[in-house]
Amino acid sequence: MLPFDDIHAAQNLALTEELKRDTELLAVHAELLDMDPFGERFSSVLRDTIDQLLNGEITGRYDWATLNKTERTHAGTLVEINLQREFRFADGQAMDYRISGIEVDCKYSQKFSGWMIPPEAIGHLCLLVWADDYQSRWSAGLFRVREEWLNLGRNRDAKLTVKAEHRNKILWLWRDFDLPENVLLHMHPADRAAVFAQKSGQQRLNELFRRVQGRGIGRNVVRTIAQQKDYMKRVRGNGGSRSALRPEGIIIMGDYDSHRSVAEQLGLTPPREGEFVSVRVTSVRAGQNVKPYVYLDGRHWTVADDHDPAEIAPNLPATTARP
């Protein structure tokens, strides 16, 4: 697959002739796209790395601004390590990785264009990575480090940055893609306060699934809210949120295939791996306007409106695909 003939071509319309002749850059670009055509694996690594830094299960944090300076500085190292673990890049000799036999350095920044490039990377390829939890966006591209394309370093370790007029020398792999949402960061402040006001981890989870409906809630959010090692038990039935919210008509779908099917039939975005989606449902009545519906427990169910009375929710299908 040629890098200019796929869905990513539109991201690189201004690519210079000079970059088109950079066979090493094109080879690494093609290899990375072959491993992750839609950026899904890369996106998951970035989400997990930010969550790892926040360490919500222990700290209760969900906001990048609450990290201390040392933790923010460590983010680049964690991104580098976690990408290598996910994609099994070989160790480089001069740079971080070897991809397609080519030395590649990895640089991450929370600020777009804020990549700090060491002088020893001049002449090599850099994998430039940006992710912003507030915008829920991320990008990654390849850049041939040339001295004339860099701003001179002014800090004590002489780190360099890419000149604004030379950012068109970046060959994008994934440009301005969606970062899995940090639900706690983006939910309404009043709803978030109501969740954290609950005394126990189970009560906080119940309130979270009650207030955040129709949106993917990742396991890290559950860990941060529950702050308990057995956090998954707090979601399931038999005393967890599923059984606690069932009298209110709320179902909580996980990433099982059978649950994903229910979400799709209800017209919702199905949970991705490691996610949950809650929604209040109501039974379909004669004469009701046709909306997406699902057949469960011998009846048809659809997403409830605010005026629909609470009904005991149906049981979700049996699960076999994932734990």
Side-chain angles (χ1 to χ4, degrees):
M1 179 179 65
L2 295 175
F4 302 106
D5 291 338
D6 66 8
I7 62 172
H8 301 271
Q11 301 176 101
N12 297 294
L13 289 176
L15 195 63
T16 66
E17 289 300 320
E18 187 170 13
L19 293 190
K20 291 180 183 180
R21 293 192 297 268
D22 191 332
T23 56
E24 288 189 343
L25 182 138
L26 297 180
V28 174
H29 186 270
E31 177 71 13
L32 289 172
L33 287 184
D34 185 60
M35 288 190 285
D36 193 14
F38 303 104
E40 294 171 344
R41 295 169 65 189
F42 216 99
S43 178
S44 294
V45 169
L46 293 174
R47 175 75 273 153
D48 291 344
T49 301
I50 294 171
D51 292 340
Q52 181 182 351
L53 282 161
L54 291 168
N55 194 18
E57 182 179 347
I58 303 300
T59 66
R61 298 180 303 187
Y62 56 85
D63 190 339
W64 178 273
T66 61
L67 297 175
N68 60 44
K69 182 178 179 180
T70 302
E71 289 172 317
R72 291 195 296 270
T73 302
H74 190 48
T77 301
L78 281 180
V79 168
E80 172 199 327
I81 292 170
N82 292 340
L83 285 174
Q84 186 169 31
R85 183 175 296 147
E86 171 67 24
F87 292 98
R88 300 187 179 183
F89 299 136
D91 287 331
Q93 293 182 334
M95 298 288 102
D96 295 323
Y97 314 136
R98 285 184 70 83
I99 304 173
S100 291
I102 299 160
E103 296 275 336
V104 179
D105 214 29
C106 178
K107 293 302 169 191
Y108 167 80
S109 177
Q110 166 82 1
K111 177 185 175 183
F112 188 80
S113 78
W115 306 288
M116 305 299 290
I117 300 171
E120 58 268 25
I122 291 176
H124 291 283
L125 294 179
C126 264
L127 175 62
L128 302 180
V129 184
W130 164 76
D132 188 317
D133 220 7
Y134 299 102
Q135 298 182 50
S136 298
R137 312 294 288 175
W138 69 277
S139 297
L142 292 165
F143 177 71
R144 173 69 71 183
V145 183
R146 294 192 174 177
E147 190 170 2
E148 62 268 27
W149 295 346
L150 302 172
N151 294 303
L152 296 177
R154 295 177 180 174
N155 53 349
R156 61 185 179 184
D157 54 358
K159 291 291 179 68
L160 312 168
T161 58
V162 182
K163 289 181 178 178
E165 64 267 29
H166 291 296
R167 289 177 201 154
N168 65 343
K169 309 300 192 303
I170 300 171
L171 178 58
W172 293 109
L173 291 147
W174 307 282
R175 180 73 173 92
D176 206 27
F177 272 37
D178 290 332
L179 182 71
E181 184 187 28
N182 181 339
V183 169
L184 290 176
L185 182 64
H186 291 280
M187 66 191 296
H188 192 283
D191 289 332
R192 185 169 57 233
V195 169
F196 280 104
Q198 305 302 311
K199 293 182 178 180
S200 73
Q202 185 63 69
Q203 290 172 330
R204 290 192 294 272
L205 273 183
N206 295 349
E207 194 66 20
L208 176 71
F209 286 119
R210 185 180 288 123
R211 289 177 177 267
V212 181
Q213 296 189 23
R215 292 161 65 183
I217 296 175
R219 289 185 182 180
N220 185 70
V221 174
V222 174
R223 283 197 296 264
T224 301
I225 292 297
Q227 293 192 280
Q228 295 168 323
K229 291 184 177 180
D230 59 346
Y231 64 95
M232 288 298 292
K233 180 180 178 182
R234 305 299 170 183
V235 178
R236 301 188 181 108
N238 300 319
S241 293
R242 281 200 180 108
S243 56
L245 298 179
R246 192 177 173 220
E248 301 176 30
I250 296 173
I251 58 175
I252 303 172
M253 295 156 285
D255 59 1
Y256 310 98
D257 290 340
S258 58
H259 287 196
R260 287 173 52 83
S261 176
V262 169
E264 288 175 340
Q265 291 177 72
L266 288 172
L268 304 172
T269 300
R272 293 175 292 193
E273 185 175 355
E275 283 188 343
F276 303 94
V277 173
S278 68
V279 69
R280 190 170 75 90
V281 295
T282 186
S283 56
V284 177
R285 295 177 294 278
Q288 190 173 4
N289 290 334
V290 177
K291 294 196 300 183
Y293 62 86
V294 64
Y295 188 75
L296 295 170
D297 281 356
R299 298 166 68 184
H300 292 98
W301 299 85
T302 190
V303 176
D305 293 327
D306 291 341
H307 63 269
D308 289 319
E311 301 177 62
I312 297 176
N315 290 303
L316 288 166
T319 57
T320 57
R322 296 183 178 90

